[in-house]
Amino acid sequence: MPLLQRLCLAGMTMELRHLRAFIAIAEEGTITHAAARLRIGQPALSRTLKALESHLGVRLFDRSTHHLRLTDAGESFRIRAAAALNAAEAAFDPDRVGPWPLRLGHAWSALGHHTATVLHRWQQLHPQTPLQLLRTDDSLAGLAQGRADAVLLRGPMPVTGIRSTVLFHEQRMAALSSHNDLAKRSELALDDLASQTLIMNTVSGTTTLRLWSPEHQPGRIAEVGNTDDWLAALAADQGFGVTTTATADIYPYPGVTYLPLTDAPPVPVNLAWSDPPSHPAVPDLAAFIREIAQPTTNEANGPE
């Protein structure tokens, strides 16, 4: 028996309001603020959340006196809920009748030097499905908020409950001020940087101290929240960064030098999407990108 029919027989019908309630609570952090945002009473919102959790058979939030925190199941469900809600709203939007864009999110560097080729060839082969590239300074590049149908993520997957596939691998690069003495070299090793300050993008970056051995880690860390601030700090010689070849391709920056890191493991570039996908063309996009990128990829051939 289909799921919707079983729910109706049980007197339980899941509706878009359940998804809206869940998303509002997840974003606001409290029932009180979420209820005010949705303009409904707190008891009604609490009952809606309880019905959703009862239907799913899991707790979506850990409750405390003043704040609600998403459980692991809640984090996974948030991606599905946002994708479903966004797709439903798009379906009913009269301004979006016609070609159905496929939104590809990224936090930085997109597909490196493959970016323009992928966008151009996709447009030629799929004129009825425009491919929109969207940058979001977020660890999931907008997937959790339903802003993108598929996203490009580098490194290991940060959450469960999403589908992903490795497209290719990129070599790690050191990024540092052109005035730094190390910039005169042709390549660097991780230990060469241990005495320097590490400039780390803590919002969407992939670099952590785990790259170094405990005995040779950088002694100082300067945190930034986006790629633009990261590049500015590098150019000002406030420290060094670690990135991939894609950043060197996409972000040439006055006063910043990129050098290969000889002993750093490669970074997998993944395409990730909600399960089920919010756009039917997502699997085709994964195969399309892999076909274009792999023949010219010369980075190491194993994941981190």
Side-chain angles (χ1 to χ4, degrees):
M1 183 183 298
L3 175 59
L4 287 178
Q5 186 176 351
R6 295 201 308 270
L7 291 176
C8 289
L9 289 176
M12 181 186 300
T13 302
M14 291 294 103
E15 302 171 348
L16 291 180
R17 64 184 178 88
H18 292 87
L19 298 182
R20 290 193 181 97
F22 168 77
I23 293 296
I25 297 170
E27 292 180 350
E28 298 294 337
T30 69
I31 294 287
T32 301
H33 292 163
R37 168 173 155 181
L38 296 173
R39 298 182 180 180
I40 62 175
Q42 296 181 38
L45 183 56
S46 295
R47 289 194 297 270
T48 300
L49 174 59
K50 184 177 180 180
L52 178 61
E53 290 183 320
S54 177
H55 163 63
L56 296 173
V58 296
R59 291 180 65 88
L60 298 173
F61 295 94
D62 283 331
R63 275 80 163 169
S64 68
T65 304
H66 302 292
H67 191 75
L68 300 181
R69 185 181 63 84
L70 284 167
T71 62
D72 290 343
E75 291 282 3
S76 298
F77 182 70
R78 180 177 183 175
I79 298 171
R80 292 167 48 199
L85 187 58
N86 187 274
E89 291 176 345
F92 290 111
D93 186 348
D95 294 330
R96 298 172 70 175
V97 175
W100 186 359
L102 174 56
R103 302 163 302 162
L104 178 61
H106 72 107
W108 47 273
S109 298
L111 288 159
H113 68 277
H114 302 298
T115 304
T117 301
V118 167
L119 293 174
H120 180 66
R121 292 189 185 177
W122 180 272
Q123 180 178 339
Q124 289 180 317
L125 296 175
H126 305 273
Q128 296 304 311
T129 308
L131 183 58
Q132 296 180 347
L133 192 63
L134 304 171
R135 176 184 163 184
T136 302
D137 287 317
D138 174 73
S139 61
L140 287 178
L143 185 63
Q145 295 83 14
R147 298 172 185 163
D149 301 299
V151 295
L152 297 164
L153 301 178
R154 288 172 168 84
M157 290 297 95
V159 298
T160 60
I162 61 177
R163 296 188 62 184
S164 65
T165 183
V166 177
L167 300 172
F168 52 89
H169 291 78
E170 293 173 341
Q171 181 183 2
R172 274 192 169 95
M173 307 282 285
L176 62 164
S177 169
S178 302
H179 299 292
N180 192 307
D181 289 340
L182 293 176
K184 300 174 184 178
R185 301 190 188 181
S186 60
E187 58 186 26
L188 294 172
L190 288 170
D191 285 354
D192 294 329
L193 301 164
S195 62
Q196 310 264 328
T197 297
L198 172 62
I199 301 175
M200 184 186 301
N201 181 347
T202 56
V203 175
S204 59
T206 60
T207 301
T208 70
L209 289 176
R210 289 193 296 271
L211 268 179
W212 288 266
S213 64
E215 298 79 16
H216 295 92
Q217 291 182 349
R220 297 176 299 279
I221 296 176
E223 297 183 356
V224 297
N226 58 66
T227 302
D228 291 340
D229 291 348
W230 180 80
L231 288 165
L234 294 173
D237 203 13
Q238 296 175 6
F240 76 95
V242 175
T243 186
T244 74
T245 50
T247 303
D249 292 332
I250 296 294
Y251 295 105
Y253 197 90
V256 174
T257 296
Y258 297 96
L259 295 174
L261 277 171
T262 59
D263 57 348
V267 177
V269 179
N270 309 275
L271 187 72
W273 61 93
S274 58
D275 187 16
S278 59
H279 197 294
V282 168
D284 293 336
L285 179 63
F288 180 80
I289 295 174
R290 193 180 292 110
E291 180 181 356
I292 288 177
Q294 280 192 334
T296 58
T297 299
N298 56 12
E299 281 76 26
N301 54 10
E304 293 184 90

